[in-house]
Amino acid sequence: MNVQDAYDHWASQYDSNDNKTRDLEAVSLRETLGGIAFERCLEIGCGTGKNTAWLVTKASEIVAADLSAAMLLKAKEKISSSNVTFIQADITKPWTFTNKQFDLIGFSLILEHIEELGHIFKEVRRHLKHGGHLYISELHPFKQYTGSKARFETADGVQVVNCYNHNISDFTSLAVQNNLAIVTINEYFDNNDRTTLPRLFTMLCKAV
């Protein structure tokens, strides 16, 4: 199922589904960004606002973008802050949805749905202030290698969302090419059990 249709269908149950990846990513975001100050934030893939509600406690301005109109509708039902602007946007195209620069640009569980990452990193660098941070948290490549993909259940059966495998070196190489210094790379495990396959890969970069 293509990404936009999938998340439009998933929106009604996204917050209530048993979803270890979603829940662990909420942990990784708060741990990674908890000690970082930022005023203006661009949240890519805001979904139903699971992270927006926390980001708005730290930032004075958030642009929260998502491809799915249904997911954005759910986010708007949760968050009424005047500091948040919700925008429907396709980030595989030129980022004409904003002309601002940001202290933080974040991607949460979205880049696995993007085949070509080069364009994304170029747009990030164009919209990220000098000294600003880039946060990325994705399903770990090791999980992808085993066939794990974003999926949800419907009355018609399990729906699998279109995904692309990206290696950690794909992210790190593009970061370096776009003058983004790597600050940290972390892995997150179910129940913090490091003897199992990591579920998430998280990277924090700084614009230099």
Side-chain angles (χ1 to χ4, degrees):
M1 182 178 285
N2 75 58
V3 176
Q4 186 169 5
D5 288 346
Y7 280 93
D8 280 344
H9 282 86
W10 200 353
S12 63
Q13 54 178 301
Y14 187 82
D15 289 334
S16 57
N17 276 359
D18 181 22
N19 189 329
K20 293 180 181 179
T21 303
R22 173 203 62 205
D23 295 344
L24 190 57
E25 196 282 320
V27 173
S28 75
L29 178 132
R30 287 154 179 75
E31 288 186 356
T32 304
L33 300 179
I36 295 174
F38 48 91
E39 290 294 318
R40 181 179 285 171
C41 170
L42 174 58
E43 183 190 8
I44 302 291
C46 66
T48 62
K50 71 181 179 66
N51 288 328
T52 317
W54 181 81
L55 291 168
V56 77
T57 66
K58 291 177 64 72
S60 59
E61 180 181 355
I62 295 177
V63 175
D66 202 278
L67 181 62
S68 166
M71 296 289 260
L72 287 168
L73 184 61
K74 288 291 183 182
K76 291 175 183 177
E77 290 173 356
K78 292 181 188 175
I79 300 163
S80 58
S81 172
S82 60
N83 293 343
V84 181
T85 301
F86 291 103
I87 295 176
Q88 186 176 11
D90 182 351
I91 63 167
T92 65
K93 299 176 181 178
W95 291 12
T96 56
F97 57 88
T98 181
N99 58 5
K100 297 177 179 179
Q101 286 200 314
F102 298 87
D103 305 304
L104 171 68
I105 298 178
F107 295 85
S108 297
L109 307 179
I110 182 174
L111 293 179
E112 66 179 303
H113 303 307
I114 307 296
E115 183 173 15
E116 175 51 57
L117 297 181
H119 162 75
I120 305 300
F121 274 81
K122 287 178 182 177
E123 290 287 8
V124 164
R125 192 61 188 88
R126 191 164 68 87
H127 287 86
L128 193 60
K129 291 181 179 178
H130 180 78
H133 287 89
L134 165 66
Y135 164 83
I136 292 172
S137 188
E138 290 294 319
L139 187 67
H140 200 288
F142 290 176
K143 278 283 189 181
Q144 290 185 314
Y145 300 157
T146 67
S148 182
K149 294 182 179 181
R151 66 188 69 211
F152 61 100
E153 292 187 8
T154 70
D156 298 322
V158 175
Q159 299 295 322
V160 179
V161 189
N162 286 351
C163 295
Y164 303 93
N165 286 10
H166 299 300
N167 300 310
I168 291 177
S169 59
D170 295 330
F171 293 101
T172 57
S173 295
L174 284 168
V176 172
Q177 290 171 27
N178 288 278
N179 295 318
L180 297 164
I182 298 167
V183 178
T184 58
I185 291 177
N186 284 314
E187 295 167 311
Y188 285 81
F189 299 77
D190 291 339
N191 302 316
N192 204 29
D193 183 356
R194 299 183 69 87
T195 66
T196 61
L197 283 178
R199 179 169 293 274
L200 294 180
F201 151 72
T202 298
M203 183 170 77
L204 182 70
C205 299
K206 189 172 185 177
V208 295

